[in-house]
Amino acid sequence: MKMENFPAIDLIDISQSYRDKIALQDISLALSNRQCLALVGHNGAGKTTLIKIILGLLKPNQGAVKVLHQDPASRHFNNLRCSIGFLPEQVLFQKTLTGRETLAFYARLKGLPTNNLDDYFDRVDLRAAADRRVGTYSKGMRQRLGIAQALLGQPKLLVLDEPTTGLDPVARQNIYRIIDEEKKSGAAVLISSHVLTEMDHRIDRVAILSEGRMVAHGSIPFLRHHIGMRSSLKITADPESCGNIAAMFEAELPVERPSMEEIILRCLPEQKLEILKKVMAMDATITDIELTDPSLEHVFNAYSSTASSGGNHV
Amino acid sequence: MYNILVLASKEVRDGYRNKWIAVMTLVMTGFALILSFLGSAPVGSTHISPMAVTVVSLSSLGIFFIPLIALLLSYDGIVGEEERGTLILLLAYPISKPAIALGKFLGQLSILSFAIIVGYGCATLAIALTGDIPLAEQGWPILLKLILSSILLGGVFLALGLLLSALTRDRGTAAAGAIGLWLLFVVLFDMALLGFLSSGAADLIRDDAVKWIMLASPSDAYRMFNLSTNAETALLSGMAGLREDQGVSASVLISLLCIWIIIPLAASCVLFQRRSS
């Protein structure tokens, strides 16, 4: 595998519409190897359409698409498909075949040997069930089989459409571990999801889609900063100290007093340390401090509502 | 090319696993055995060979049965994969759409051929073994003709089913279409033609045009091939009365069946290619 960085996906001003409905509008996106990009949006935001364009199953009305340096909708792209791993949003494998037969079928289509499939089953924790029929698998096991299928042949680009849907937390962690491994071995990973809370630290960048438009794009800290979402600092102390703290910050920050012994300060991320220092410098009897940063969920909701209301509010 | 075979062999394996092959073969064999024993009973010691009797009855069975199972096998080939989400996955693999269509067709044709060969083979073997004519003197060529044309007839309806599955957007529509196709080609076409010929309107068309109109239906080409292109079977089935110019040669009939396979097959490749995913 080449060590230098290359753009696995390069989309420039993609637009796609079906008859009267606009599915995607002016989407530009780049993803290089050793990176993981999350495509986030509500159902119908255009995630699957964008994935179809990246896989060359759909030719956009406008814009330029390059995947692994080639136009995926061209005939010559077929050879490059061996270097792409894909997990569709919903896939029901033939129930009558065993897990191993299913995986062997897909391996043959990619022209791979079928004698080392156990490695793949190990990676997704499915070794024990490899020779059972897919019909006996639980939803999570079927999803893991789907992931094993996507990993076939060390893909340079891994596209996973909602990979963690229906998985328990342990299996979900396992999938993120696999994504991490693939990233380290040089793959570019694109995942789409509307389950946001548990992916924070593993993705490098997020692209938020709303009604076919990309409303935000960047790393999570960047997005948080950009939309001006405030972290909340909850201090529990005696009523007198609370009063003092409130008096000190009321002028510059939104301050809430849920009860006499509690005070919540909402501050911008870059103010956090400064405020903490000031609070600690006060001669107050503080019993507890709880600092909550906006989660990806909050960021996402903020961006989605910004988009639908049409304005930019902080 | 290799990928077509990969797909075909998966189709066969799936057919084997979900008992399709077993059920189809059993039903074919069962019906064939019953028909051939019932059919050969009244022959007694006439000079007509039991093989000819068997072939005539088996071809009447096949004309109803083979299109039905072929359509059942193929009607949801593409639309079914789409509903299960495996089509979009398959398209992300290095395999072209025509290769997917051809792979499915080939796999299904193998399944159907197996059922036909085993089913008809068992029946005729049983007849041959119980009769008093030596095995070597049985009319094997007409049996081979029957098996070949039955496979071709199956291929016709597999291709039509594939076309249906490339045209439709959901399995329900495809299923309805399959029933429609079966009724049209197996029942209605003949009935309509018969009705037309027995009505006064029959005078409007030329005598020798009738056979060509008839051949517009692949099942009639199959019937004619098995019944009229051999003296014995023709005698048995009442086709012996045909004048020279009323018959159609065996090679024409076989070519007709092949054309009936190639056109829908090519059409499904083209339509599948155009189908938006």
Side-chain angles (χ1 to χ4, degrees):
Chain A
M1 179 135 313
K2 277 191 266 177
M3 291 303 283
E4 79 262 27
N5 284 358
F6 63 91
I9 298 178
D10 201 0
L11 307 180
I12 301 164
D13 288 336
I14 299 297
S15 292
Q16 172 71 33
S17 51
Y18 301 107
R19 288 197 187 91
D20 49 337
K21 190 180 159 285
I22 293 170
L24 291 173
Q25 207 175 356
D26 300 327
I27 305 277
S28 295
L29 197 69
L31 173 65
S32 52
N33 60 337
R34 295 168 197 286
Q35 271 202 342
C36 177
L37 172 78
L39 211 53
V40 178
H42 294 300
N43 290 331
K47 288 173 292 173
T48 302
T49 307
L50 194 58
I51 287 178
K52 280 182 183 169
I53 287 175
I54 289 169
L55 293 171
L57 306 180
L58 200 64
K59 206 171 162 53
N61 305 134
Q62 272 174 41
V65 191
K66 283 268 182 295
V67 174
L68 303 172
H69 303 297
Q70 282 222 27
D71 177 5
S74 77
R75 274 174 192 276
H76 313 290
F77 193 73
N78 242 355
N79 300 326
L80 280 176
R81 291 188 187 280
C82 291
S83 313
I84 296 179
F86 172 51
L87 174 71
E89 185 179 351
Q90 228 190 12
V91 60
L92 296 170
F93 294 116
Q94 224 103 30
K95 284 182 179 168
T96 50
L97 301 183
T98 67
R100 190 181 300 280
E101 286 166 339
T102 307
L103 203 57
F105 165 67
Y106 289 107
R108 282 192 198 101
L109 283 183
K110 276 194 173 176
L112 299 169
T114 52
N115 50 15
N116 61 347
L117 295 179
D118 275 338
D119 299 344
Y120 294 101
F121 283 115
D122 279 336
R123 288 186 72 184
V124 296
D125 251 337
L126 216 56
R127 178 85 169 260
D131 291 303
R132 269 165 50 193
R133 292 190 180 196
V134 176
T136 67
Y137 282 16
S138 67
K139 188 166 190 271
M141 289 163 87
R142 286 204 299 265
Q143 187 77 348
R144 265 140 62 197
L145 180 62
I147 302 229
Q149 165 277 132
L151 295 176
L152 284 168
Q154 270 270 311
K156 288 183 184 145
L157 171 63
L158 199 55
V159 180
L160 308 173
D161 200 353
E162 313 248 348
T164 52
T165 312
L167 296 191
D168 59 65
V170 178
R172 209 180 288 157
Q173 290 304 315
N174 204 9
I175 298 223
Y176 280 113
R177 186 181 46 77
I178 292 169
I179 290 177
D180 239 29
E181 288 167 10
E182 288 298 305
K183 235 172 76 179
K184 286 197 179 109
S185 59
V189 185
L190 178 76
I191 69 175
S192 88
S193 186
H194 51 232
V195 189
L196 300 148
T197 35
E198 87 281 5
M199 59 160 69
D200 269 344
H201 60 286
R202 289 189 188 81
I203 46 174
D204 304 304
R205 280 185 303 142
V206 189
I208 299 179
L209 287 182
S210 180
E211 288 164 12
R213 267 182 303 217
M214 199 187 290
V215 292
H217 182 196
S219 67
I220 312 245
F222 170 81
L223 291 182
R224 266 193 200 124
H225 181 81
H226 190 70
I227 199 141
M229 291 236 353
R230 290 167 184 268
S231 307
S232 80
L233 190 64
K234 183 171 157 191
I235 302 168
T236 315
D238 59 73
E240 192 197 340
S241 306
C242 281
N244 289 342
I245 297 171
M248 184 168 179
F249 292 104
E250 245 160 7
E252 46 180 323
L253 298 174
V255 174
E256 286 169 39
R257 285 290 291 273
S259 72
M260 286 310 283
E261 281 87 25
E262 282 173 326
I263 179 163
I264 297 174
L265 305 172
R266 299 202 178 275
C267 60
L268 294 173
E270 65 268 25
Q271 296 177 304
K272 278 188 302 195
L273 281 178
E274 190 193 329
I275 286 170
L276 265 178
K277 271 184 201 156
K278 280 186 190 170
V279 171
M280 298 311 286
M282 287 172 71
D283 189 23
T285 46
I286 294 168
T287 45
D288 188 31
I289 292 184
E290 199 183 311
L291 179 63
T292 322
D293 279 338
S295 70
L296 187 50
E297 196 78 56
H298 290 121
V299 174
F300 172 61
N301 285 337
Y303 274 106
S304 299
S305 56
T306 313
S308 49
S309 65
N312 235 334
H313 62 80
V314 172
Chain B
M1 191 58 221
Y2 170 72
N3 275 351
I4 295 182
L5 294 180
V6 171
L7 207 71
S9 67
K10 184 207 168 213
E11 201 74 13
V12 171
R13 191 188 287 262
D14 190 46
Y16 168 72
R17 281 295 165 71
N18 64 22
K19 311 280 193 292
W20 245 111
I21 297 186
V23 170
M24 261 168 45
T25 310
L26 268 176
V27 171
M28 283 298 277
T29 314
F31 269 112
L33 277 174
I34 293 169
L35 263 186
S36 32
F37 277 108
L38 285 180
S40 62
V43 177
S45 53
T46 58
H47 62 282
I48 287 176
S49 81
M51 187 65 88
V53 181
T54 311
V55 165
V56 169
S57 18
L58 286 184
S59 62
S60 330
L61 166 74
I63 214 160
F64 287 96
F65 213 63
I66 292 170
L68 189 67
I69 45 182
L71 285 169
L72 278 177
L73 250 161
S74 62
Y75 81 96
D76 70 341
I78 290 166
V79 74
E81 292 257 1
E82 185 176 70
E83 285 192 3
R84 283 187 293 121
T86 41
L87 184 63
I88 185 169
L89 181 60
L90 211 51
L91 292 175
Y93 271 82
I95 182 167
S96 66
K97 283 180 175 178
I100 294 176
L102 291 178
K104 285 203 160 277
F105 175 78
L106 217 64
Q108 289 160 355
L109 190 65
S110 320
I111 296 176
L112 197 63
S113 307
F114 178 81
I116 289 171
I117 291 170
V118 171
Y120 283 3
C122 282
T124 37
L125 212 61
I127 292 294
L129 289 175
T130 49
D132 23 67
I133 302 173
L135 272 183
E137 286 165 37
Q138 292 281 357
W140 297 113
I142 50 169
L143 173 69
L144 285 180
K145 272 173 67 184
L146 172 75
I147 288 179
L148 173 75
S149 60
S150 299
I151 291 173
L152 286 178
L153 182 71
V156 170
F157 283 88
L158 284 177
L160 287 171
L162 186 70
L163 182 61
L164 209 55
S165 81
L167 273 173
T168 48
R169 280 280 159 203
D170 67 290
R171 285 184 70 211
T173 320
I179 295 171
L181 274 182
W182 184 80
L183 274 177
L184 176 69
F185 282 121
V186 176
V187 183
L188 296 179
F189 185 88
D190 285 354
M191 272 175 32
L193 188 60
L194 207 62
F196 176 77
L197 290 179
S198 54
S199 74
D203 299 334
L204 296 175
I205 54 166
R206 283 172 45 200
D207 196 25
D208 60 345
V210 174
K211 70 181 181 198
W212 296 113
I213 294 174
M214 198 171 147
L215 291 177
S217 163
S219 36
D220 283 324
Y222 167 81
R223 200 195 312 262
M224 231 192 245
F225 178 76
N226 280 302
L227 300 184
S228 72
T229 59
N230 171 277
E232 274 190 310
T233 52
L235 190 63
L236 262 173
S237 56
M239 295 284 228
L242 289 180
R243 291 195 314 269
E244 197 61 17
D245 64 312
Q246 280 171 325
V248 180
S249 79
S251 54
V252 170
L253 292 167
I254 285 290
S255 324
L256 263 173
L257 285 174
C258 290
I259 291 170
W260 265 105
I261 294 176
I262 292 163
I263 290 177
L265 202 56
S268 20
C269 289
V270 171
L271 285 169
F272 186 24
Q273 191 79 51
R274 286 200 193 153
R275 187 187 173 102
S276 62
S277 30

